Coordinates of all heavy atoms in Angstrom, one line a residue:
M1 N -66.1 -89.3 71.4 CA -65.3 -90.1 70.5 C -65.2 -89.4 69.1 O -64.2 -89.4 68.5 CB -65.9 -91.5 70.4 CG -65.5 -92.4 71.4 SD -66.0 -94.1 71.3 CE -66.9 -94.3 69.9
A2 N -66.4 -88.9 68.6 CA -66.4 -88.3 67.3 C -65.5 -87.1 67.2 O -64.7 -86.9 66.3 CB -67.8 -87.9 66.9
E3 N -65.5 -86.3 68.2 CA -64.6 -85.1 68.3 C -63.1 -85.5 68.3 O -62.3 -85.0 67.6 CB -64.9 -84.2 69.5 CG -64.1 -83.0 69.5 CD -64.4 -82.1 70.7 OE1 -65.5 -82.2 71.3 OE2 -63.6 -81.3 71.1
Y4 N -62.8 -86.5 69.1 CA -61.4 -87.0 69.1 C -61.0 -87.6 67.8 O -59.8 -87.4 67.4 CB -61.3 -88.1 70.2 CG -59.9 -88.6 70.4 CD1 -59.0 -87.9 71.1 CD2 -59.5 -89.8 69.9 CE1 -57.7 -88.3 71.3 CE2 -58.2 -90.3 70.0 CZ -57.3 -89.6 70.7 OH -56.0 -90.0 70.9
G5 N -61.9 -88.2 67.1 CA -61.6 -88.8 65.8 C -61.6 -87.8 64.7 O -61.3 -88.1 63.5
G6 N -61.9 -86.5 65.0 CA -61.8 -85.5 64.0 C -63.1 -85.1 63.3 O -63.2 -84.3 62.3
D7 N -64.2 -85.8 63.7 CA -65.5 -85.5 63.1 C -66.1 -84.2 63.7 O -66.1 -84.1 65.0 CB -66.5 -86.6 63.3 CG -66.0 -87.9 62.6 OD1 -65.3 -87.8 61.6 OD2 -66.4 -89.0 63.0
A8 N -66.7 -83.4 62.9 CA -67.3 -82.1 63.4 C -68.6 -82.4 64.1 O -69.0 -81.8 65.1 CB -67.5 -81.1 62.3
E9 N -69.3 -83.4 63.6 CA -70.6 -83.8 64.2 C -70.5 -85.3 64.7 O -69.7 -86.1 64.2 CB -71.7 -83.7 63.2 CG -71.9 -82.3 62.6 CD -72.6 -81.4 63.6 OE1 -73.3 -81.9 64.5 OE2 -72.3 -80.2 63.5
R10 N -71.4 -85.6 65.6 CA -71.4 -86.9 66.2 C -72.3 -87.9 65.5 O -72.2 -89.1 65.8 CB -71.8 -86.9 67.7 CG -73.3 -86.5 67.9 CD -73.6 -86.5 69.3 NE -75.0 -86.3 69.5 CZ -75.6 -85.2 69.7 NH1 -74.9 -84.1 69.8 NH2 -76.9 -85.1 69.9
W11 N -73.1 -87.5 64.5 CA -74.1 -88.3 63.9 C -73.5 -89.5 63.2 O -74.1 -90.6 63.2 CB -75.0 -87.5 63.0 CG -75.5 -86.3 63.7 CD1 -75.3 -85.0 63.5 CD2 -76.4 -86.3 64.8 NE1 -75.9 -84.2 64.4 CE2 -76.6 -85.0 65.2 CE3 -77.0 -87.3 65.6 CZ2 -77.4 -84.6 66.3 CZ3 -77.8 -87.0 66.6 CH2 -78.0 -85.7 67.0
G12 N -72.4 -89.4 62.5 CA -71.8 -90.5 61.7 C -71.4 -91.6 62.7 O -71.8 -92.8 62.4
Q13 N -70.7 -91.3 63.7 CA -70.3 -92.4 64.7 C -71.5 -92.9 65.4 O -71.6 -94.1 65.8 CB -69.2 -91.9 65.6 CG -67.9 -91.7 64.9 CD -66.8 -91.6 65.8 OE1 -66.9 -91.8 67.0 NE2 -65.6 -91.3 65.3
Q14 N -72.5 -92.1 65.7 CA -73.7 -92.5 66.4 C -74.4 -93.5 65.5 O -74.9 -94.6 66.0 CB -74.6 -91.4 66.8 CG -75.8 -91.8 67.6 CD -76.6 -90.6 68.1 OE1 -76.1 -89.5 68.0 NE2 -77.7 -90.8 68.6
H15 N -74.5 -93.3 64.3 CA -75.1 -94.2 63.3 C -74.3 -95.5 63.3 O -74.9 -96.6 63.4 CB -75.2 -93.6 61.9 CG -75.7 -94.6 60.9 ND1 -77.0 -95.0 60.8 CD2 -75.0 -95.3 60.0 CE1 -77.1 -95.9 59.8 NE2 -75.9 -96.1 59.3
L16 N -73.0 -95.4 63.2 CA -72.2 -96.6 63.1 C -72.4 -97.5 64.4 O -72.5 -98.7 64.3 CB -70.7 -96.2 63.0 CG -69.7 -97.4 63.0 CD1 -69.9 -98.3 61.8 CD2 -68.3 -96.9 63.1
L17 N -72.4 -96.9 65.5 CA -72.5 -97.6 66.8 C -73.9 -98.1 67.1 O -74.1 -99.1 67.8 CB -71.9 -96.8 67.9 CG -70.5 -96.4 67.8 CD1 -70.1 -95.5 68.9 CD2 -69.6 -97.7 67.9
D18 N -74.9 -97.4 66.6 CA -76.3 -97.7 67.0 C -77.1 -98.4 65.9 O -77.8 -99.4 66.2 CB -77.0 -96.4 67.4 CG -78.3 -96.7 68.0 OD1 -78.5 -97.7 68.7 OD2 -79.2 -95.9 67.7
R19 N -77.0 -98.0 64.7 CA -78.0 -98.5 63.7 C -77.4 -99.1 62.4 O -78.1 -99.8 61.7 CB -78.8 -97.3 63.2 CG -79.7 -96.7 64.3 CD -80.5 -95.5 63.8 NE -79.7 -94.4 63.2 CZ -79.1 -93.5 63.9 NH1 -79.1 -93.5 65.2 NH2 -78.4 -92.5 63.3
A20 N -76.1 -99.0 62.2 CA -75.5 -99.5 61.0 C -75.5 -101.1 61.1 O -75.3 -101.7 62.1 CB -74.0 -99.0 60.9
R21 N -75.7 -101.7 59.9 CA -75.6 -103.1 59.7 C -74.4 -103.5 58.9 O -74.1 -102.8 57.9 CB -76.8 -103.6 59.0 CG -78.1 -103.2 59.8 CD -79.3 -104.0 59.5 NE -79.0 -105.3 60.1 CZ -79.6 -106.4 59.7 NH1 -80.5 -106.4 58.8 NH2 -79.3 -107.6 60.3
W22 N -73.6 -104.4 59.4 CA -72.4 -104.8 58.7 C -72.2 -106.3 58.9 O -72.6 -106.9 59.8 CB -71.2 -104.0 59.1 CG -71.2 -103.7 60.6 CD1 -72.2 -103.8 61.5 CD2 -70.0 -103.4 61.4 NE1 -71.8 -103.5 62.7 CE2 -70.4 -103.3 62.7 CE3 -68.7 -103.3 61.1 CZ2 -69.5 -103.0 63.7 CZ3 -67.8 -103.0 62.1 CH2 -68.2 -102.8 63.4
E23 N -71.4 -106.9 58.0 CA -71.1 -108.3 58.0 C -69.7 -108.5 58.6 O -68.7 -107.9 58.2 CB -71.1 -108.9 56.6 CG -72.5 -108.9 56.0 CD -73.5 -109.8 56.7 OE1 -73.0 -110.9 57.2 OE2 -74.6 -109.5 56.7
A24 N -69.6 -109.4 59.6 CA -68.4 -109.6 60.3 C -67.3 -110.1 59.4 O -66.1 -109.7 59.5 CB -68.6 -110.6 61.5
D25 N -67.7 -111.0 58.4 CA -66.7 -111.6 57.5 C -66.1 -110.5 56.6 O -64.9 -110.5 56.3 CB -67.3 -112.7 56.7 CG -67.6 -113.9 57.5 OD1 -67.0 -114.1 58.6 OD2 -68.4 -114.8 57.0
E26 N -67.0 -109.6 56.1 CA -66.5 -108.5 55.2 C -65.6 -107.5 56.0 O -64.6 -107.1 55.5 CB -67.7 -107.7 54.7 CG -68.5 -108.5 53.7 CD -69.7 -107.8 53.2 OE1 -69.7 -106.5 53.2 OE2 -70.7 -108.4 52.7
L27 N -65.9 -107.3 57.3 CA -65.1 -106.4 58.1 C -63.7 -107.1 58.3 O -62.7 -106.4 58.2 CB -65.8 -106.1 59.4 CG -64.9 -105.2 60.4 CD1 -64.6 -103.9 59.8 CD2 -65.6 -105.1 61.7
R28 N -63.7 -108.3 58.6 CA -62.5 -109.1 58.8 C -61.6 -109.0 57.5 O -60.4 -108.7 57.6 CB -62.8 -110.5 59.1 CG -61.5 -111.4 59.3 CD -61.7 -112.8 59.0 NE -62.2 -113.0 57.7 CZ -63.2 -113.9 57.4 NH1 -63.7 -114.7 58.3 NH2 -63.6 -114.0 56.1
D29 N -62.2 -109.2 56.4 CA -61.4 -109.1 55.1 C -60.9 -107.7 54.9 O -59.8 -107.6 54.4 CB -62.3 -109.6 54.0 CG -62.7 -111.1 54.1 OD1 -62.1 -111.8 54.9 OD2 -63.7 -111.5 53.4
F30 N -61.7 -106.7 55.2 CA -61.3 -105.3 55.0 C -60.1 -105.0 55.9 O -59.1 -104.4 55.4 CB -62.4 -104.4 55.3 CG -62.0 -102.9 55.2 CD1 -62.0 -102.2 54.0 CD2 -61.7 -102.3 56.4 CE1 -61.6 -100.9 54.0 CE2 -61.3 -100.9 56.4 CZ -61.3 -100.3 55.1
V31 N -60.2 -105.4 57.1 CA -59.1 -105.1 58.1 C -57.9 -105.8 57.7 O -56.7 -105.3 57.7 CB -59.5 -105.4 59.5 CG1 -58.4 -105.3 60.5 CG2 -60.6 -104.5 60.0
R32 N -58.0 -107.1 57.2 CA -56.8 -107.9 56.8 C -56.1 -107.2 55.6 O -54.9 -107.0 55.6 CB -57.2 -109.3 56.4 CG -56.1 -110.1 56.0 CD -56.5 -111.5 55.5 NE -55.3 -112.3 55.1 CZ -54.7 -112.2 54.0 NH1 -55.1 -111.3 53.1 NH2 -53.6 -112.9 53.7
R33 N -56.9 -106.7 54.6 CA -56.3 -106.0 53.5 C -55.6 -104.8 53.9 O -54.5 -104.4 53.5 CB -57.4 -105.7 52.4 CG -57.8 -106.9 51.6 CD -58.7 -106.5 50.5 NE -59.9 -105.7 50.8 CZ -61.1 -106.2 51.1 NH1 -61.2 -107.5 51.1 NH2 -62.1 -105.4 51.5
Y34 N -56.2 -104.0 54.8 CA -55.6 -102.8 55.4 C -54.3 -103.0 56.0 O -53.3 -102.3 55.8 CB -56.6 -102.1 56.3 CG -56.1 -100.8 56.9 CD1 -56.2 -99.6 56.3 CD2 -55.6 -100.9 58.2 CE1 -55.7 -98.5 56.8 CE2 -55.1 -99.7 58.8 CZ -55.2 -98.5 58.1 OH -54.7 -97.3 58.7
V35 N -54.3 -104.1 56.9 CA -53.0 -104.4 57.6 C -51.9 -104.9 56.7 O -50.8 -104.5 56.8 CB -53.3 -105.4 58.8 CG1 -52.0 -105.9 59.4 CG2 -54.2 -104.8 59.8
V36 N -52.3 -105.8 55.8 CA -51.3 -106.3 54.8 C -50.7 -105.2 54.0 O -49.5 -105.1 53.8 CB -51.9 -107.4 54.0 CG1 -51.0 -107.8 52.8 CG2 -52.2 -108.7 54.8
A37 N -51.6 -104.3 53.5 CA -51.1 -103.1 52.7 C -50.2 -102.3 53.6 O -49.2 -101.7 53.1 CB -52.3 -102.3 52.2
G38 N -50.5 -102.1 54.9 CA -49.6 -101.3 55.7 C -48.3 -102.0 56.0 O -47.3 -101.3 56.3
L39 N -48.2 -103.3 55.9 CA -47.0 -104.0 56.2 C -46.1 -104.1 54.9 O -44.9 -104.4 55.0 CB -47.2 -105.4 56.7 CG -47.8 -105.5 58.1 CD1 -48.2 -106.9 58.4 CD2 -46.9 -104.9 59.1
D40 N -46.7 -103.8 53.7 CA -46.0 -103.9 52.5 C -44.9 -102.8 52.4 O -45.2 -101.6 52.4 CB -46.9 -103.8 51.3 CG -46.2 -103.9 50.0 OD1 -45.1 -104.4 50.0 OD2 -46.9 -103.6 49.0
D41 N -43.7 -103.2 52.4 CA -42.6 -102.3 52.3 C -41.7 -102.5 51.1 O -40.5 -102.2 51.1 CB -41.7 -102.3 53.6 CG -41.2 -103.7 53.9 OD1 -41.3 -104.6 53.0 OD2 -40.6 -103.9 54.9
G42 N -42.3 -103.1 50.1 CA -41.6 -103.3 48.8 C -40.5 -104.4 48.9 O -39.6 -104.4 48.1
G43 N -40.5 -105.3 49.9 CA -39.6 -106.3 50.0 C -38.3 -106.0 50.7 O -37.4 -106.7 50.7
G44 N -38.3 -104.8 51.4 CA -37.1 -104.4 52.2 C -37.2 -104.7 53.6 O -36.3 -104.3 54.4
G45 N -38.2 -105.4 54.1 CA -38.4 -105.6 55.5 C -37.7 -106.8 56.0 O -37.1 -107.6 55.3
P46 N -37.7 -107.0 57.3 CA -37.0 -108.1 58.0 C -37.7 -109.5 58.0 O -37.1 -110.5 58.3 CB -36.8 -107.6 59.4 CG -38.0 -106.8 59.7 CD -38.3 -106.1 58.3
G47 N -38.9 -109.5 57.5 CA -39.7 -110.7 57.6 C -39.4 -111.6 56.4 O -38.6 -111.3 55.6
P48 N -40.1 -112.8 56.4 CA -39.8 -113.7 55.3 C -40.1 -113.1 53.9 O -41.1 -112.5 53.7 CB -40.9 -114.8 55.6 CG -41.3 -114.7 57.0 CD -41.1 -113.2 57.3
G49 N -39.1 -113.3 53.0 CA -39.2 -112.7 51.7 C -39.2 -111.2 51.7 O -39.6 -110.6 50.7
G50 N -38.7 -110.6 52.7 CA -38.6 -109.2 52.8 C -39.9 -108.5 53.2 O -40.0 -107.3 53.0
A51 N -40.8 -109.2 53.7 CA -42.1 -108.6 54.1 C -42.0 -107.9 55.5 O -41.1 -108.2 56.3 CB -43.2 -109.7 54.2
G52 N -42.9 -107.0 55.7 CA -43.0 -106.3 57.0 C -43.4 -107.3 58.1 O -43.9 -108.4 57.8
V53 N -43.3 -107.0 59.3 CA -43.6 -107.9 60.4 C -44.6 -107.2 61.4 O -44.4 -106.0 61.7 CB -42.3 -108.2 61.2 CG1 -42.7 -109.1 62.4 CG2 -41.3 -108.9 60.3
L54 N -45.6 -107.9 61.8 CA -46.6 -107.4 62.7 C -46.4 -108.1 64.0 O -46.5 -109.4 64.0 CB -48.0 -107.5 62.2 CG -49.1 -107.2 63.2 CD1 -49.1 -105.7 63.5 CD2 -50.5 -107.6 62.6
V55 N -46.2 -107.4 65.1 CA -46.0 -108.1 66.4 C -47.1 -107.6 67.3 O -47.3 -106.4 67.5 CB -44.6 -107.7 67.0 CG1 -44.4 -108.3 68.4 CG2 -43.5 -108.2 66.1
V56 N -47.8 -108.5 67.9 CA -48.9 -108.2 68.9 C -48.4 -108.7 70.2 O -48.1 -109.9 70.4 CB -50.2 -108.8 68.5 CG1 -51.3 -108.5 69.5 CG2 -50.6 -108.4 67.1
D57 N -48.3 -107.8 71.2 CA -47.8 -108.1 72.5 C -48.7 -107.6 73.6 O -48.8 -106.4 73.9 CB -46.4 -107.5 72.7 CG -45.8 -107.8 74.1 OD1 -46.3 -108.6 74.8 OD2 -44.8 -107.2 74.4
E58 N -49.5 -108.5 74.1 CA -50.5 -108.1 75.1 C -50.0 -107.9 76.5 O -50.7 -107.4 77.4 CB -51.6 -109.2 75.2 CG -51.3 -110.4 75.9 CD -50.4 -111.4 75.2 OE1 -50.1 -111.2 74.0 OE2 -49.9 -112.4 75.8
T59 N -48.7 -108.1 76.7 CA -48.1 -107.9 78.0 C -48.0 -106.4 78.4 O -47.8 -106.1 79.6 CB -46.7 -108.5 78.1 OG1 -45.8 -107.9 77.1 CG2 -46.7 -110.0 77.9
G60 N -48.2 -105.5 77.5 CA -48.2 -104.1 77.8 C -49.5 -103.6 78.4 O -49.6 -102.5 78.9
F61 N -50.6 -104.4 78.4 CA -51.8 -104.0 79.0 C -51.8 -104.2 80.5 O -51.2 -105.1 81.0 CB -53.0 -104.8 78.4 CG -53.1 -104.6 76.9 CD1 -53.0 -105.7 76.0 CD2 -53.4 -103.4 76.4 CE1 -53.2 -105.5 74.6 CE2 -53.5 -103.2 75.0 CZ -53.4 -104.2 74.1
A62 N -52.5 -103.3 81.1 CA -52.6 -103.4 82.6 C -53.3 -104.7 83.1 O -54.2 -105.2 82.5 CB -53.4 -102.2 83.1
K63 N -52.7 -105.2 84.1 CA -53.2 -106.5 84.6 C -54.1 -106.2 85.8 O -53.9 -105.2 86.6 CB -52.1 -107.4 85.1 CG -51.0 -107.7 84.0 CD -51.6 -108.6 83.0 CE -50.5 -109.1 82.0 NZ -50.8 -108.9 80.7
K64 N -55.0 -107.1 86.1 CA -55.9 -107.0 87.3 C -55.3 -107.9 88.4 O -54.6 -108.9 88.1 CB -57.3 -107.5 87.0 CG -58.0 -106.5 86.0 CD -59.4 -107.0 85.8 CE -60.2 -106.1 84.9 NZ -61.5 -106.5 84.7
G65 N -55.5 -107.5 89.6 CA -55.0 -108.3 90.7 C -53.6 -107.9 91.1 O -53.1 -106.9 90.7
R66 N -53.0 -108.8 91.8 CA -51.6 -108.5 92.3 C -50.6 -109.0 91.4 O -50.6 -110.0 90.8 CB -51.4 -109.2 93.7 CG -52.3 -108.6 94.7 CD -52.1 -109.3 96.0 NE -53.1 -108.8 96.9 CZ -52.9 -108.5 98.2 NH1 -51.7 -108.7 98.7 NH2 -53.8 -108.0 99.0

């Protein structure tokens, strides 16, 4: 995973996955700010008030069973 992500060494991701401590609420807030900033298109988008639109469609995931 580290190599695929562009890291030369695996230690950073190993620390993140194994020993790092983090707060779920802080992570949620960080991800929200990141997504909102990514959707900001200066008011030229198709959403309400010219905002960008985020669409999540789980139907593209492989289904189990028949």
Side-chain angles (χ1 to χ4, degrees):
M1 277 185 1
E3 183 179 336
Y4 182 78
D7 294 334
E9 299 288 333
R10 68 177 187 265
W11 306 114
Q13 286 197 10
Q14 185 172 348
H15 171 74
L16 175 68
L17 297 173
D18 185 40
R19 296 179 303 278
R21 303 201 70 197
W22 42 336
E23 294 293 327
D25 291 341
E26 291 178 24
L27 178 62
R28 178 204 59 220
D29 295 344
F30 174 83
V31 171
R32 182 184 182 280
R33 286 190 303 271
Y34 178 82
V35 170
V36 169
L39 292 174
D40 182 15
D41 56 8
V53 177
L54 174 66
V55 177
V56 178
D57 180 9
E58 78 283 353
T59 60
F61 296 120
K63 305 288 189 233
K64 292 182 179 181
R66 295 179 186 222

